[in-house]
Amino acid sequence: MTGRTFRMRRVRRLVPGRARGGERGAGRGAQPKVVALGGGHGLSASLAALRRITGDLTAVVTVADDGGSSGRLREELGVLPPGDLRKALAALCGDDEWGQTWARVIKHRFESRGDLHGHAVGNLLIVALWEQLGDHVQALDLVGKLLGAHGRVLPMSAVPLELQALVRGHDPAAPDAVSTVCGQATVALTPGEVQSVHVVPEDPPAVPEAVEAVLDADWVVLGPGSWFSSVIPHLLVPELLQALQETKARRVLSLNLAPQPGETDGFSPQRHLEVLARHAPKLALDVVLADEAAVPDRQSLTDAAKRLGATVELAPVASPDGCPTHDPELLAAAYDRIFRMHGRIGPWR
């Protein structure tokens, strides 16, 4: 066995698992139904891992982005921001020539001195199909079919959302003042300390297919990703939060490898759990997954997870090159081990 294979298989369990529910998936065939929630690069990393271990995969994607190409299309056309949806579709592309070619095409950005500068091909394709078909879900399913995507991509809400945050010290000249910061792009880069976030409209409608997917899942994976702007927004859509609380699925929270400058600067792993609990105090978890090298205080993380009803799994999931990014194969091995240890679904390969 190579050193790399050993690292992929070694997952250390800190606390005995908590059994809940019946034999979910026992009569469903060989693969677990998995729903992954998030946005941006964090969700892409999770999807790139999960598509390696299940063919029944649904991504539920945040729709609060207001920067870059997505922000421009949203402002000009009044559509959902397509960027995070595009990234999720690209992450679900296969490793064959067809999949990788289309992944590169939809990620391609135009460079010019005109209005097309900075727009991604995939964003324009998605918006064009929305306008042609008049149906968010049908259009995304069609793009997924074109790409040969290994899974389905859904928006979490049917309307574009504005993210607003209460931030202490957003203005460096007033470090103790708490102010409201508007817009996902601004919140993600704030130099202050984010206290809490909410969305406008305050009671946004969930996409019914996203709610149905969560309720019908064997496993729900939340994170990794920008905590306040990609992970927590899913908990601010009432119907989606209710589904997350009521589902019989087991729930995994995948932590980031490092604090995000601005948004979660200085946060410990357990602080991420505490913030999530403040936004959704009734949401229970089953497993918290973290990279073993990113957890300096294991007992504090274990205690924080226990308050949410969860156990902690530590696994080497970071890229071997030292960058704070998840390695798809290592992350897949960690998810695979968690599903087998906690889910009692049985082998699916």
Side-chain angles (χ1 to χ4, degrees):
M1 181 181 297
T2 67
R4 180 176 175 79
T5 303
F6 175 78
R7 290 185 70 228
M8 289 178 62
R9 292 185 177 178
R10 184 167 60 93
V11 179
R12 180 177 179 184
R13 186 163 62 158
L14 296 181
V15 185
R18 174 169 67 93
R20 191 190 74 223
E23 296 285 328
R24 291 283 291 170
R28 291 184 168 181
Q31 300 182 88
K33 292 187 176 183
V34 181
V35 176
L37 295 86
H41 296 296
L43 177 60
S44 295
S46 201
L47 294 175
L50 289 167
R51 70 174 171 82
R52 287 166 160 78
I53 59 175
T54 182
D56 199 335
L57 177 59
T58 301
V60 178
V61 185
T62 183
V63 288
D65 189 10
D66 61 350
S69 171
S70 287
R72 291 160 58 194
L73 291 169
R74 170 179 174 167
E75 181 177 0
E76 183 174 345
L77 301 175
V79 296
L80 294 179
D84 284 347
L85 297 160
R86 168 184 53 81
K87 291 174 185 174
L89 285 163
L92 290 175
C93 286
D95 294 324
D96 58 355
E97 184 179 358
W98 179 272
Q100 289 306 295
T101 297
W102 275 109
R104 290 193 300 271
V105 168
I106 65 170
K107 289 188 288 187
H108 176 76
R109 291 185 184 273
F110 294 104
E111 294 186 8
S112 73
R113 297 181 180 179
D115 292 339
L116 269 178
H117 180 73
H119 276 305
V121 171
N123 289 357
L124 301 178
L125 175 62
I126 290 169
V127 172
L129 283 168
W130 283 341
E131 293 192 346
Q132 287 286 316
L133 301 177
D135 186 298
H136 293 118
V137 173
Q138 184 182 356
L140 289 167
D141 284 345
L142 187 57
V143 177
K145 184 177 181 180
L146 172 67
L147 272 54
H150 294 249
R152 193 182 195 192
V153 173
L154 300 169
M156 71 176 184
S157 177
V159 298
L161 305 179
E162 179 183 65
L163 189 70
Q164 296 186 356
L166 293 178
V167 181
R168 182 185 301 277
H170 179 69
D171 181 359
D176 295 325
V178 177
S179 57
T180 299
V181 175
C182 300
Q184 180 177 345
T186 305
V187 171
L189 298 176
T190 179
E193 180 183 346
V194 179
Q195 307 289 299
S196 63
V197 291
H198 62 277
V199 294
V200 178
E202 294 184 359
D203 190 14
V207 168
E209 290 87 347
V211 172
E212 181 182 353
V214 170
L215 291 174
D216 196 41
D218 295 307
W219 282 92
V220 174
V221 177
L222 188 62
S226 300
W227 218 243
F228 287 105
S229 52
S230 291
V231 176
I232 289 178
H234 290 80
L235 310 180
L236 307 179
V237 179
E239 294 169 302
L240 191 54
L241 175 58
Q242 183 177 355
L244 287 167
Q245 293 171 165
E246 294 180 356
T247 181
K248 296 284 196 295
R250 286 172 169 81
R251 292 164 287 234
V252 180
L253 181 67
S254 188
L255 292 177
N256 295 333
L257 298 171
Q260 182 177 349
E263 190 170 321
T264 54
D265 202 17
F267 274 34
S268 64
Q270 55 269 24
R271 177 88 177 273
H272 286 75
L273 301 190
E274 294 163 359
V275 166
L276 184 138
R278 287 205 305 269
H279 286 83
K282 295 182 180 180
L283 179 63
L285 301 174
D286 292 277
V287 181
V288 173
L289 171 63
D291 186 84
E292 54 191 2
V295 182
D297 187 344
R298 300 184 180 187
Q299 188 59 51
S300 293
L301 179 59
T302 297
D303 293 342
K306 187 176 181 180
R307 289 191 288 271
L308 298 176
T311 62
V312 172
E313 296 286 349
L314 295 183
V317 295
S319 175
D321 63 11
C323 295
T325 56
H326 288 82
D327 180 274
E329 292 184 9
L330 294 178
L331 188 58
Y335 284 143
D336 183 60
R337 176 70 180 272
I338 288 170
F339 293 172
R340 292 173 183 275
M341 289 172 62
H342 296 268
R344 304 195 308 280
I345 296 172
W348 45 75
R349 287 202 246 242

